[in-house]
């Protein structure tokens, strides 16, 4: 299962959500609240050491760039 860590107001997150929808791919949505500092949570930083969204996890591979 694809897991997407994202923030609703993030343009970069929106790009990934649009591609997933266009390709009709199912994914688990995990919201990261940037306004409360969720991107600095130690568990999230293990996935994305840049402290930014989005982060996409697919079959154990972690992607931290939306481009």
């Amino acid at each position: 299962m694809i897991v997407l860590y994202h923030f609703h107001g993030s343009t970069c997150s929106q790009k990934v959500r649009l591609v997933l929808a266009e390709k009709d791919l199912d994914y688990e949505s995990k919201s990261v609240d940037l306004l409360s500092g969720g991107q600095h949570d130690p568990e999230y930083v293990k996935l994305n050491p840049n402290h930014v969204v989005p982060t996409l996890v697919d079959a154990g591979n972690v992607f931290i760039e939306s481009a």
Side-chain angles (χ1 to χ4, degrees):
M1 167 69 65
I2 297 171
V3 179
L4 176 64
Y5 296 82
H6 62 101
F7 179 69
H8 70 278
S10 161
T11 303
C12 293
S13 293
Q14 183 179 21
K15 289 191 301 186
V16 176
R17 289 192 305 268
L18 287 170
V19 169
L20 290 169
E22 188 66 28
K23 292 183 168 282
D24 198 28
L25 295 172
D26 291 329
Y27 65 94
E28 180 181 349
S29 175
K30 301 261 187 171
S31 182
V32 178
D33 187 355
L34 301 183
L35 301 177
S36 68
Q39 72 275 28
H40 305 300
D41 180 273
E43 289 302 310
Y44 183 70
V45 173
K46 287 178 186 176
L47 291 173
N48 191 327
N50 294 338
H51 301 244
V52 296
V53 292
T55 300
L56 187 128
V57 181
D58 182 23
N61 298 304
V62 180
F63 302 93
I64 60 173
E65 281 293 327
S66 62

